[in-house]
Structure formats: C-alpha cells, structure tokens
Amino acid sequence: MKGKKSENKTDKKSKSSPRLIDRRDIIKGLATIPVLGAIAYGIYRKKRLYTNYKNNILDELNLNPAPVGISRKVNKDKLIRLGIVGFGIRGRQLLRGAGFAEPKWIDDAKNAARQNKFDTTYDDYMEQEDLNIVVNGVCDIFDVHAKEALLAGANIHREGVNGRKGTLPKRYLNYRELVSSPDIDAVIIATPDHWHAPIAIEAAKNGKHVYCEKPMTWSVEETYELVKIVKDSGITFQLGHQGIQNEYFSVAKQLLDRNVLGKISLIELTTNRNSPNGAWVYPIHPDASPRNIDWSQFIGQAPYHKFSLERFFRWRCWWDYSLGLSGDLMTHEYDIINHLLGIGIPYSAVSSGGIYFFKDGRTVPDVIQTAMEYPDYDLTMLYSATLSSEAHRGKLIMGHDASMEINDSLTVKVDYNSTRFRKKIDKGIINPDVPIYTYVPGQNKIDGVVTPTEQYFAQRGLLYTYRDGKRVDTTYLHIKEWLDSIRSDTQPGCNIDRGFEEAITAHMSAISYRENRKVFWDKDKLGIV
Amino acid sequence: MTNDKLYPYLNDIQAVFLIILRVAVGWHFLYEGLVKIIDPNWSAFEYLMDSQGIFSGIFKSMASNQSVLAVVDLLNVWGLMLIGGGLILGIFTRFSTICAIILLSFYYLSHPPFLGLEYIMPQEGNYLLVDKTLVEILALAVVYVFPTGHILGIDRLILKLKEIKNK
C-alpha cells in the first residue's frame, strides 16, 4: 500500500514535470548487460572444457563406439513353418518372440497397459515385426499347456481371448512325430534340459532347423553326438543365449576389440536372485495330474522316479533333469564373454557351493562358485551365484589399464596404476575416480560422456529404454537372427560351435561340483578329465 | 537511489542488495537454461520420472508422452533462459518474476521435500518442507514486491519512454 501511494505521488510529480531520458538513465538502464557477458564467458569455458575432455580421451583413444544393430537385411518372402516342443514358461516367451502370443496374455498385457501407462509391454509386442512364419505343430506332454500352445499358434492376428483366430496348429503327442512331419521346416525346443539334445538330434536327422534352449545338452556324451549330426546335416542351429542381442553387447565388443582395457587377468560373472520364482520354485498348475501329464515321456533318459508334480513343474531343482545353475544361468554369462573375447572352453574348472537356503528337497545347489582357468589367455573367469540375495553385482572385466563393468549401464574406469594411461593420469587429463566411458542403454549416444545425473539414474536402474518409447524384446531379436540365418542359409552367432563350448563349460562346472574335484579339458582328446 | 524519486521508500543499500538478489537469481536461471541447451542429450525425463508426492502422476505422465516431453523440454530451456535474461537485464522484471515463481513452483511440487518421500536424485543437503527451491521462490517474491528494474535495468528506460509518450 505504502509503495502504491508513493508510486502515485511519483506519477503525479512526473506528469507535472516529465523528464527526458538522460545519460544517467541510459547507464542505469543498461548497467547489468555486462553480467550477460560474464555468463556467456562462463558457458564458453564450460563447453571448451567438455570438448577438450572429449578430444583428449575419447578421440585420442578412438573410444567412441555406438551401438550397432546385428540384424541383417534378409529377404523374408519364404514362409517358414515352425513347430515347438515344450510350452512352459520359456516356450511361451519364445513363441511370443516369434509373434504368437497366447490370447490370454494379450488381454493381460492390455489390462496392464490400461492400469499403468508406463507398462509398454503390449505396444512393444504389437510393434514387433511380422517374421512371415506359421506355427504348424505343437508338442507338450501336459494337456493344458498343449491346448494353450494351440491357441497361441493360431493367434495370427495378435488378439485377445474373444478375438479372431487363424487355423489351429496340429498337436503332437510325441516330439518324434512333430520333427518328422513334412509340413514343418524348423523346430523350437524349450523342454527340460535332459530333453534338449535328444529332440535336437532327431530334428537335425530330419533336416529341420533347430532353435535349442540352453544349456545345449544334459550329458557330456550327447554333446558330441549333437554337434556331429548338426554339422553333417547342414541345418541352421541356434542356441538360446539371447544376451548377445543386448544393446550393450556391441558397445562392449568394440571397446574390447580396441583393447581399451589392456591385459585382462580376471573376469567376474554373477547371478543374484532372491525369490522363489528366481530359485525355480514355480507354481504347480492346479489341474495337473497323472491323467493329463505323460510322465513316462517326461522321464525320458533321466533315472526313473514316481510321478511328482514338484519334479514336473520345478525340474530345474534336480540333477535328474537339469544342469542347475551351471547350465541354467552360468551359461548366459559365459556365452556373452565367449562372444566378446572368444576364449572358448577353459583349461580347468573348480566349483564349490551348496544348498544353503532353499532346503526344499532339491539336489542342485542354490549357491555356486566356479573358477575357470585360461592359461592360454593368462586369465581366470570366476562365476559366483546365489539364489537368495539380490545384492547387485554386475559383470566385471578387469584389465591392467582399465576395467569394464556391465550392470544397468556399461562403464569403463581407468586403473590408477595403468601403464598405458600413466601420463594422462599424471597430467590430470584422466581422472581414475570417474568412468572415462559410460554407455546407457536406450540412449544412442555417440560421445559416451554422460552427466553425473544420467549416470546416477542409470546405476539405479531407472529404465531409460522407455525414453525412446520403444523397448525391444531380446528374445524376439534372437528368434529373428535364427530365422534370418535359415533364410540366408548361414549360421547365427550363437551357433553349434559356441554351443559346444557352452555345453562343455557347463558340464565342467557341474561335474566339478558334483564330484568335488578340479576337472580339466583335454583339448587333444576332446574330453573332460 | 532515493534521489531518483522513483522508489523513495528504498534507501541506497536496500536497493543495491535487492538488485544483486534479482541479478543473482537471474544468473542462476540463465545458466541452468544454457547448460541444458548445450547438452544435446538433456531432457527433463529423468527429473520428471523421479517425481514423488501427490502430483507425481501428472509429472510422470508428462515424461511418458514423447510429444508432451518435447514441449516440456522446450518450455523449460527457453523459459529458464528468457526469465534469467529478464531478471538480469531488468526487462519486464515483474512479468519475468511471476514466470520464475510459476516455473519454480512446478519444480517444488514435483519434488516436494516432505517426510517419507525419497528421491533417486542425490541431494546435497537435508530438507523438510523448506528446500532451496522454496527459498528461491520466496526470494523471487521479495524481488516481486520490491521491483528494481525501474532503478537499474531496461525497465527504467521503458518507464521513461512511457512517461514521455503519455505527456
């Protein structure tokens, strides 16, 4: 009020004697302009610091990788006719990756999107490319799963339970009939581990292309047989390690190919899970019974055991049907490193661990450590897993000059005592406390320099992939690579040779644990000793 | 200053510190805007996604929509720069001040420093109800009720031109 009064007074005064703009007014009117100059100088300095940093570190080290898509341009005119054996948890995901989701899943995903607008699962799926395939045959020894597989295979319009349907595929009661059927070109195998090789061998014998879930084999012997038959038959074989489809993989590969890390001596790989589901204690279907499960076919080459719903639905918990952590999760980690560094089968492996948390009658350990030695490469690969803690441990590749950690983001940190970067560290150009390179998935960054805020979010796992509004399922990419390879008559990245190395490594880890001894790979005789 | 007779209620030292306050807040705004514009990867996405409290749904939905986010980013950067420039130069000072208060209120409401709300974004201090954003809002309220653009700033020239015109 007081101010207003005085303003009014002033107004009256100035009206009575209007003043012209004088020199004093001009000076006072423009007095703060130099402040803009100061701030402009500040921002110029900041930008120059940033550019210098980039030039010094990124360009000089040739350290500017960008993610490269692995997908090729392949003519997909030729229709591929699929069959699937095994429609459990993974079988569903694989068929969805191929573009055939269960109608019920579609409804659930739609509802989820309605309830949470950040859930883009439905949209992501609908945007998934049509791969020009048809599902002609399904085989599952549990009637309920088989019926669900039929509905998924017929869901060519990607609609819900009340939506349109295509022709139902044929249900086979035995995989042998499916893999020998003339209207099937390629087979997806998503059964328990002890059935992978027998079905894959039979499929290859019939000239069918194979997508086989991991681990490739359950016994050492069948590994050799499968490799021979796949190679002799000339089919396109792919093992189900979709990790190499991740965006960070191509970035990591470029960095390692440029030897940014220097001499690598230790690689640490981990699995950290902490839930019944993560520990393979899956729900038992309420309708399941000996009447709708073909138990003798389930047993197959495994030792006989009387009918057990636990064993049927939670088969990963028993050596009788599974390779445990060594086959189920170590292989994923191993496969990525094997693709990055090409180190193959280790010279030796020694495992230890136990059943420390899930004392539910399982025979496979829920904690395992496997140390694998590679004297030819002068390095150790250490795998460490627990199913009862989710403490966040990423993959760590430790080199003399720098280390690479692959977590939610990929970071490269220079080592304090690096020889190669010594001068730059001394000059203060490189600060070993902060990563010299960070790659955040979902951001197509070329310069690789991210702000501390971005780094913070990436480390906390906030999903950047939402940013582009597009989240691509790695399983879909992996299925696509297999189909592209079939159409171009080539072998995919995760081919039978990588599969052989994966299977032998998994067996070495499991045998060492079970026999409580160090095992060796005899590369001349091609055998585990 | 008082001898200008524009604001006879302010003595020199009061006016000087009010002007410094105005320019300092302007500096902060302009620099925040410039830093964002020179970073091609900057987006309000992470900040919005970190929103907590009763309005978090609105802020997160801004982040979820690509086109809305683009508008938010644009308004943010240019809003910050124009407000900053306005406060430093003392041009349309009161309008700039109101815009600044509105913009800061959005920041405050998206990240209210209430008990029990935890943010991913690291904070350099400890806050309950009152945080630096709120203090800056209050500083701007002072800048608004004691405008100084007429004393030192382009508003002085605008005012003079108006006076001459009215005559």
Side-chain angles (χ1 to χ4, degrees):
Chain A
M1 280 309 282
K2 207 179 164 193
K4 243 187 183 172
K5 266 183 191 167
S6 356
E7 263 182 68
N8 289 341
K9 269 185 201 166
T10 322
D11 284 350
K12 273 178 199 164
K13 256 191 172 178
S14 43
K15 261 185 187 171
S16 55
S17 58
R19 307 177 319 163
L20 291 171
I21 298 179
D22 55 20
R23 198 168 57 98
R24 181 196 184 86
D25 290 327
I26 305 254
I27 290 169
K28 287 195 169 181
L30 307 176
T32 49
I33 289 178
V35 176
L36 290 185
I39 208 164
Y41 181 67
I43 206 86
Y44 163 75
R45 286 288 303 272
K46 184 185 168 77
K47 190 145 179 137
R48 214 178 54 172
L49 265 175
Y50 175 86
T51 320
N52 275 351
Y53 174 82
K54 235 176 68 176
N55 292 345
N56 264 317
I57 297 175
L58 298 171
D59 297 348
E60 215 175 298
L61 298 177
N62 196 12
L63 190 73
N64 48 1
V68 181
I70 321 174
S71 62
R72 295 165 285 180
K73 276 229 158 116
V74 171
N75 186 339
K76 53 171 193 164
D77 287 350
K78 189 180 172 290
L79 179 77
I80 294 178
R81 302 164 303 168
L82 275 190
I84 181 165
V85 187
F87 198 68
I89 296 169
R90 190 61 189 149
R92 277 157 227 264
Q93 294 167 351
L94 288 166
L95 215 49
R96 208 152 61 223
F100 297 87
E102 290 170 84
K104 192 180 169 304
W105 182 89
I106 297 270
D107 287 337
D108 290 348
K110 264 190 194 167
N111 280 334
R114 228 171 271 141
Q115 277 161 19
N116 174 9
K117 53 182 164 266
F118 295 103
D119 191 331
T120 58
T121 313
Y122 175 72
D123 288 338
D124 295 339
Y125 174 71
M126 294 308 282
E127 278 175 31
Q128 212 173 277
E129 186 192 338
D130 183 338
L131 299 169
N132 193 26
I133 45 182
V134 63
V135 180
N136 275 353
V138 303
C139 175
D140 196 290
I141 55 169
F142 175 33
D143 290 349
V144 175
H145 284 178
K147 276 176 198 149
E148 288 164 349
L150 291 173
L151 290 174
N155 196 10
I156 51 172
H157 303 292
R158 305 189 184 189
E159 291 184 359
V161 173
N162 298 319
R164 294 168 294 160
K165 283 174 189 61
T167 325
L168 284 184
K170 184 175 173 189
R171 180 188 174 188
Y172 295 89
L173 294 172
N174 187 296
Y175 74 92
R176 284 176 190 276
E177 294 158 25
L178 184 142
V179 300
S180 60
S181 171
D183 68 345
I184 283 172
D185 306 312
V187 181
I188 294 175
I189 301 167
T191 60
D193 298 354
H194 68 302
W195 269 113
H196 289 172
I199 299 171
I201 288 168
E202 202 60 30
K205 275 184 187 164
N206 283 281
K208 314 292 186 195
H209 306 291
V210 171
Y211 181 109
C212 183
E213 257 311 314
K214 46 81 199 177
M216 194 170 86
T217 60
W218 174 73
S219 76
V220 180
E221 297 70 35
E222 64 190 9
T223 312
Y224 304 113
E225 194 189 344
L226 175 60
V227 172
K228 186 175 183 313
I229 286 168
V230 165
K231 292 205 163 178
D232 289 350
S233 66
I235 60 153
T236 296
F237 178 94
Q238 182 175 267
L239 187 62
H241 289 300
Q242 69 278 7
I244 54 167
Q245 309 293 348
N246 274 312
E247 237 183 345
Y248 69 73
F249 175 81
S250 63
V251 174
K253 178 103 178 101
Q254 290 174 67
L255 290 166
L256 290 167
D257 287 350
R258 287 172 200 170
N259 195 27
V260 168
L261 304 191
K263 174 80 196 77
I264 296 165
S265 56
L266 182 60
I267 299 166
E268 282 186 3
L269 305 171
T270 70
T271 295
N272 320 287
R273 286 182 169 185
N274 195 12
S275 71
N277 204 57
W280 314 312
V281 187
Y282 300 127
I284 289 169
H285 199 285
D287 300 336
S289 77
R291 280 191 305 281
N292 51 25
I293 291 172
D294 182 349
W295 182 249
S296 66
Q297 208 181 159
F298 171 79
I299 291 290
Q301 60 171 329
Y304 183 78
H305 192 281
K306 68 177 186 347
F307 183 83
S308 157
L309 285 173
E310 280 81 14
R311 284 181 172 242
F312 184 76
F313 287 100
R314 300 168 182 170
W315 53 265
R316 278 184 172 88
C317 300
W318 286 272
W319 291 119
D320 289 352
Y321 327 105
S322 151
L323 272 191
L325 278 161
S326 307
D328 202 56
L329 296 166
M330 187 187 87
T331 50
H332 270 322
E333 304 289 320
Y334 164 83
D335 182 71
I336 286 174
I337 298 299
N338 195 25
H339 274 93
L340 286 174
L341 298 171
I343 53 179
I345 299 167
Y347 163 76
S348 70
V350 61
S351 304
S352 69
I355 303 164
Y356 296 144
F357 190 86
F358 288 94
K359 296 178 186 292
D360 51 6
R362 67 179 62 203
T363 53
V364 300
D366 58 6
V367 171
I368 196 169
Q369 273 64 239
T370 300
M372 290 156 269
E373 301 303 332
Y374 289 86
D376 291 349
Y377 297 90
D378 289 318
L379 69 85
T380 296
M381 181 153 69
L382 188 68
Y383 173 69
S384 166
T386 173
L387 296 180
S388 54
S389 171
E390 252 178 28
H392 218 48
R393 302 181 295 173
K395 300 180 217 328
L396 187 60
I397 306 175
M398 300 165 75
H400 170 67
D401 293 316
S403 59
M404 179 189 291
E405 189 170 8
I406 304 171
N407 224 316
D408 298 312
S409 60
L410 183 156
T411 50
V412 177
K413 260 187 171 180
V414 163
D415 198 278
Y416 278 100
N417 293 312
S418 155
T419 308
R420 177 180 173 184
F421 299 118
R422 181 77 269 143
K423 280 183 185 161
K424 284 202 161 61
I425 296 169
D426 290 344
K427 278 187 195 160
I429 296 168
I430 289 178
N431 177 2
D433 290 328
V434 291
I436 51 162
Y437 180 84
T438 302
Y439 173 70
V440 181
Q443 283 193 317
N444 287 323
K445 289 200 159 219
I446 295 165
D447 56 22
V449 177
V450 294
T451 64
T453 317
E454 282 175 307
Q455 224 165 56
Y456 207 87
F457 276 97
Q459 280 160 9
R460 293 297 181 282
L462 195 79
L463 295 167
Y464 270 87
T465 34
Y466 284 126
R467 184 175 172 158
D468 294 343
K470 230 180 194 178
R471 210 167 34 142
V472 187
D473 181 5
T474 49
T475 298
Y476 150 75
L477 292 173
H478 209 44
I479 290 271
K480 185 176 180 318
E481 191 188 350
W482 176 54
L483 296 170
D484 285 349
S485 302
I486 293 172
R487 289 190 169 112
S488 56
D489 198 20
T490 52
Q491 296 297 330
C494 204
N495 54 41
I496 190 72
D497 292 325
R498 299 292 84 73
F500 177 70
E501 292 162 350
E502 177 252 32
I504 296 297
T505 308
H507 288 302
M508 287 172 74
S509 165
I511 291 169
S512 171
Y513 173 84
R514 298 182 74 179
E515 298 180 8
N516 200 16
R517 67 179 178 97
K518 189 172 185 176
V519 296
F520 298 86
W521 172 242
D522 185 334
K523 60 182 171 189
D524 301 319
K525 290 182 186 158
L526 293 181
I528 297 172
V529 288
Chain B
M1 301 281 174
T2 41
N3 54 7
D4 271 351
K5 300 199 168 99
L6 285 170
Y7 288 90
Y9 55 88
L10 289 177
N11 67 32
D12 280 3
I13 196 81
Q14 287 167 333
V16 163
F17 277 102
L18 281 169
I19 290 163
I20 290 174
L21 179 64
R22 188 195 87 207
V23 173
V25 175
W27 177 292
H28 181 213
F29 270 71
L30 183 56
Y31 188 71
E32 280 280 11
L34 286 169
V35 163
K36 288 172 177 62
I37 211 159
I38 63 166
D39 177 1
N41 295 307
W42 178 83
S43 166
F45 175 80
E46 301 92 350
Y47 185 80
L48 291 170
M49 285 302 283
D50 193 24
S51 175
Q52 302 279 339
I54 47 167
F55 299 110
S56 63
I58 301 169
F59 292 107
K60 285 183 183 174
S61 64
M62 285 179 185
S64 71
N65 185 317
Q66 197 67 37
S67 40
V68 174
L69 183 63
V71 174
V72 169
D73 284 351
L74 201 75
L75 284 178
N76 225 315
V77 173
W78 285 98
L80 283 166
M81 292 201 304
L82 290 174
I83 290 166
L87 289 173
I88 292 173
L89 294 177
I91 182 167
F92 310 126
T93 317
R94 290 199 126 179
F95 177 69
S96 300
T97 312
I98 286 288
C99 292
I101 290 173
I102 292 169
L103 190 58
L104 286 180
S105 301
F106 278 121
Y107 297 162
Y108 182 81
L109 293 174
S110 72
H111 287 61
F114 296 166
L115 269 186
L117 298 183
E118 293 292 333
Y119 297 96
I120 299 175
M121 196 93 92
Q123 285 181 324
E124 82 289 6
N126 299 288
Y127 309 109
L128 178 66
L129 300 177
V130 178
D131 62 3
K132 288 182 184 173
T133 308
L134 187 64
V135 173
E136 198 165 19
I137 289 172
L138 295 173
L140 281 160
V142 172
V143 168
Y144 183 80
V145 296
F146 296 106
T148 52
H150 304 70
I151 304 171
L152 202 80
I154 292 173
D155 281 346
R156 183 188 182 103
L157 300 176
I158 294 172
L159 184 80
K160 280 296 177 70
L161 286 172
K162 265 190 194 163
E163 281 176 5
I164 294 165
K165 217 177 155 192
N166 286 344
K167 190 207 153 202

